[in-house]
Amino acid sequence: MTGAAFRVLEIPELVHNILDLADQRTIAVAARTRRAWNPSSLDKLWRSMESLAPVLQLLGDLRSIAEIGHPEKWVLSLDDSDWTRFKIYASRIRELRCSDAAMINGKCLLIAPSVFNQVALYRPSHEALLPNLKSLHWTGITHDSAPAVLMLVSPSIEVLRISFKQHTTADVQVTLFKHLYGRLSGVVDLGIASPFRSHDITRAVARCLQSMPKLAELSLPQYYLYDAILRALGPSISLRVLITDYHTPSLYDNDGMRFYSEEGWFSSLESITINASPRSFTSFLSSSPRPKLQSVRLSTRRLANPSELRHLCSILADSCPAVLALAFVLYSDDDAQSQPIIFDDIRPLLACSQLESLEITHDYPMTLNDAEIEEMGAAWQGMGNLDLCSEPYIEKVTNETPGTPIAVLATMARVMPALTYLGLYFSPESIPTISRSGPVPQQFLTLETISVGTSNGPALEEENMAVFLGVMCPSIQIESFALVWYKTGNPLRFADLARKATQHSGSWARVQKLVWMMDLCATVVQRRNKSRLEDNRAP
């Protein structure tokens, strides 16, 4: 290679682009091959760390030690550490994902508390250990590791996601947040996971939030959201995404978050995930100015009756007509008040013409007919993800709420061609019979997954069900809940399926036979369609 060619390969921008295409091993070789390639190669190698081990090993050898009565841990000697060398590499780290444990040579052990104490004692200055760190994810913070978090947080930090172990006391968390105050002014994404309910923690977190003018995404345990938190967040003009505990109901208050808004609050909010009562959330949607939400995920255990859902959908469609994604987890703690949801309860959402994803989880299945499917298809032409009560409690499925007739799949495939995920609870009655020589109905061509629940009944015809689903959904993954069909490339774990069957009180004897029917049917349909295509092309 000529000298001119070597000089071309020393252009930093070109080296950077080439290394973008290389794996870690190749980049490590490049760092030792040519002096001009070394800076760019080291930047790539050290940019993102998945453990504290490489960082600590810059200061000395980590070795394992086991004390009597205590588990084996990593320890470190720092007496003659080369801090100049440490800074050269530490300044290159932009992302760090870590915990109190570290994996070295296939052995994963906790880092001894003495390691963090030594680093704090011997570091030459009080500046952040990783001065250019932009993203820190620390899982399982304890009393021992909390000081290390403070040593790593730098003025350049933009993403901070931390979780606390269950035994970590509230005092430790309060102290950490008090010391973080004023050091998170550049953070745009903050995530906190903690099992504690403490007003002291809430006040400390609220104070931190007031010092974060650029915060755009916030994830908190839902029981943090008391008045102090709302007053810290409401006036923010940068907050776009607010996420609270969504899948797990409140441990302390079944009403969920007492969410409210004052004039001008949450003016920039685009996405919210929250556990709240329908009345509380409807009040928020009706506030002035109305939030311009594009994504809503609401969980509640206080749905008194379906009319509350209908009212919520009306307010939501009126205040957020451009919403793209909706998800409702709707339960009632009072079984006597729990009632099935019908299409009329969500009909107001037809006004949200840009809706791309709709998920509803409820105790009862939803029964839909062809006319209602046609309405949904006409209103939601871009719908890609649709799940309407596909996993109800089997004990609440009755003759009055058997689910949606499976024959509507033909209509749905025709009017919702963009679907990639579909979840429904089907009634097995009146399964269409498809002749091997007859025409093939409109199929789901873009569907990737269908979650199928079916109610038990004397009219259940295993073969017709399998054939119909196989024809409608060729070459996709088929899942289900009660009587469950799986068609997937992964090995089936019948122990897991049997456990689900027990939970849902479903019959499981038919599953193994149906698995092979589905595979065989999909294969047969593909071959038949291929042969028809070849026949049509023949002169």
Side-chain angles (χ1 to χ4, degrees):
M1 185 178 293
T2 64
F6 268 120
R7 286 194 294 274
V8 169
L9 290 177
E10 291 179 355
I11 299 174
E13 293 80 5
L14 180 59
V15 174
H16 181 84
N17 291 336
I18 293 174
L19 293 176
D20 277 340
L21 306 175
D23 57 25
Q24 293 290 94
R25 184 183 296 273
T26 303
I27 296 174
V29 172
R32 298 189 296 267
T33 300
R34 192 168 182 82
R35 186 183 300 274
W37 298 348
N38 183 268
S40 295
S41 299
L42 290 181
D43 286 343
K44 293 288 185 183
L45 287 173
W46 286 87
R47 181 178 182 82
S48 180
M49 295 283 106
E50 297 293 327
S51 169
L52 275 174
V55 180
L56 295 173
Q57 286 174 318
L58 290 171
L59 299 171
D61 292 330
L62 279 173
R63 67 181 190 280
S64 61
I65 186 172
E67 298 178 353
I68 298 176
H70 296 279
E72 191 175 7
K73 295 182 178 180
W74 296 118
V75 295
L76 179 68
S77 298
L78 292 174
D79 294 339
D80 56 351
S81 299
D82 186 349
W83 287 97
T84 302
R85 174 173 172 267
F86 175 85
K87 289 182 179 180
I88 292 174
Y89 291 92
S91 63
R92 302 177 187 274
I93 299 176
R94 301 294 188 272
E95 302 174 9
L96 175 61
R97 294 176 177 269
C98 60
S99 67
D100 288 15
M103 175 82 73
I104 301 177
N105 297 328
K107 179 185 286 188
C108 185
L109 300 175
L110 288 175
I111 300 171
S114 60
V115 173
F116 302 125
N117 295 334
Q118 286 179 294
V119 173
L121 180 64
Y122 287 106
R123 62 176 176 157
S125 71
H126 291 288
E127 296 179 356
L129 288 177
L130 309 179
N132 297 316
L133 187 68
K134 293 186 176 298
S135 176
L136 174 62
H137 294 239
W138 193 304
T139 304
I141 295 174
T142 64
H143 171 81
D144 298 318
S145 58
V149 176
L150 293 174
M151 288 190 291
L152 293 174
V153 172
S154 68
S156 63
I157 197 79
E158 296 178 356
V159 178
L160 178 62
R161 293 193 165 265
I162 53 178
S163 67
F164 296 90
K165 284 192 174 178
Q166 192 162 1
H167 63 267
T168 306
T169 65
D171 289 342
V172 171
Q173 299 179 46
V174 170
T175 301
L176 177 60
F177 289 123
K178 284 183 176 179
H179 283 89
L180 286 174
Y181 174 75
R183 302 174 61 178
L184 305 177
S185 58
V187 169
V188 297
D189 183 347
L190 174 65
I192 303 172
S194 167
F196 274 90
R197 180 197 190 196
S198 165
H199 290 294
D200 290 336
I201 296 177
T202 299
R203 283 191 288 268
V205 171
R207 188 165 178 264
C208 272
L209 294 175
Q210 291 173 339
S211 68
M212 301 167 64
K214 298 181 180 180
L215 186 64
E217 180 169 341
L218 176 64
S219 176
L220 291 173
Q222 73 92 23
Y223 42 82
Y224 270 149
L225 294 175
Y226 290 105
D227 185 76
I229 297 291
L230 290 176
R231 292 196 171 278
L233 293 176
S236 172
I237 61 174
S238 61
L239 188 66
R240 301 287 189 273
V241 180
L242 175 60
I243 302 173
T244 67
D245 277 344
Y246 169 61
H247 294 290
T248 306
S250 170
L251 300 176
Y252 310 102
D253 182 3
N254 281 336
D255 286 333
M257 173 182 167
R258 293 180 290 277
F259 197 64
Y260 68 93
S261 180
E262 296 186 2
E263 185 173 355
W265 281 16
F266 301 104
S267 59
S268 302
L269 196 63
E270 298 174 356
S271 175
I272 186 168
T273 299
I274 192 171
N275 176 19
S277 68
R279 181 176 299 179
S280 170
F281 194 66
T282 300
S283 175
F284 163 67
L285 291 174
S286 303
S287 60
S288 178
R290 293 191 172 186
K292 300 178 177 60
L293 296 174
Q294 297 182 7
S295 174
V296 174
R297 302 182 72 87
L298 171 67
S299 175
T300 182
R301 301 188 68 85
R302 292 300 190 191
L303 185 69
N305 55 66
S307 64
E308 276 196 334
L309 175 61
R310 191 177 311 179
H311 180 59
L312 173 62
C313 290
S314 297
I315 298 297
L316 208 157
D318 185 42
S319 61
C320 310
V323 67
L324 300 177
L326 293 174
F328 301 132
V329 178
L330 309 170
Y331 292 117
S332 174
D333 287 335
D334 187 350
D335 288 339
Q337 291 186 350
S338 182
Q339 302 173 32
I341 294 173
I342 61 175
F343 178 69
D344 283 342
D345 296 326
I346 64 169
R347 187 185 296 275
L349 295 179
L350 296 178
C352 302
S353 59
Q354 299 180 45
L355 198 60
E356 298 175 354
S357 176
L358 176 61
E359 303 175 21
I360 299 179
T361 302
H362 191 251
D363 288 342
Y364 289 92
M366 182 182 289
T367 301
L368 299 170
N369 57 42
D370 286 302
E372 292 165 342
I373 298 293
E374 293 271 6
E375 285 189 69
M376 289 193 293
W380 303 327
Q381 297 183 12
M383 179 63 70
N385 181 76
L386 183 65
D387 192 318
L388 300 178
C389 310
S390 65
E391 191 176 6
Y393 285 131
I394 299 301
E395 290 77 7
K396 294 190 177 183
V397 178
T398 65
N399 291 333
E400 288 74 25
T401 58
T404 296
I406 197 170
V408 304
L409 280 180
T411 302
M412 189 166 283
R414 175 171 53 81
V415 302
M416 292 186 169
L419 280 178
T420 58
Y421 178 91
L422 174 63
L424 285 173
Y425 190 87
F426 290 116
S427 166
E429 298 181 2
S430 304
I431 302 171
T433 301
I434 298 178
S435 170
R436 294 187 179 278
S437 58
V440 177
Q442 175 71 47
Q443 296 174 311
F444 290 102
L445 300 180
T446 60
L447 200 63
E448 298 172 359
T449 303
I450 180 171
S451 296
V452 183
T454 64
S455 53
N456 290 315
L460 180 62
E461 301 175 14
E462 299 171 8
E463 184 176 357
N464 285 343
M465 175 74 82
V467 169
F468 183 70
L469 284 175
V471 170
M472 295 302 303
C473 313
S475 302
I476 68 166
Q477 174 177 307
I478 298 180
E479 300 176 348
S480 66
F481 297 103
L483 285 174
V484 181
W485 292 270
Y486 274 76
K487 178 180 181 292
T488 174
N490 300 323
L492 294 174
R493 300 179 60 185
F494 285 104
D496 292 344
L497 303 185
R499 175 178 52 79
K500 283 187 178 181
T502 302
Q503 292 175 352
H504 292 283
S505 304
S507 171
W508 214 250
R510 306 177 178 90
V511 173
Q512 298 191 41
K513 179 165 57 175
L514 283 173
V515 168
W516 308 119
M517 283 187 180
M518 297 298 293
D519 285 334
L520 177 61
C521 178
T523 302
V524 170
V525 170
Q526 286 178 347
R527 290 178 178 174
R528 186 169 71 243
N529 289 343
K530 182 178 179 181
S531 63
R532 288 181 182 177
L533 183 61
E534 291 174 348
D535 291 342
N536 292 336
R537 288 178 177 175

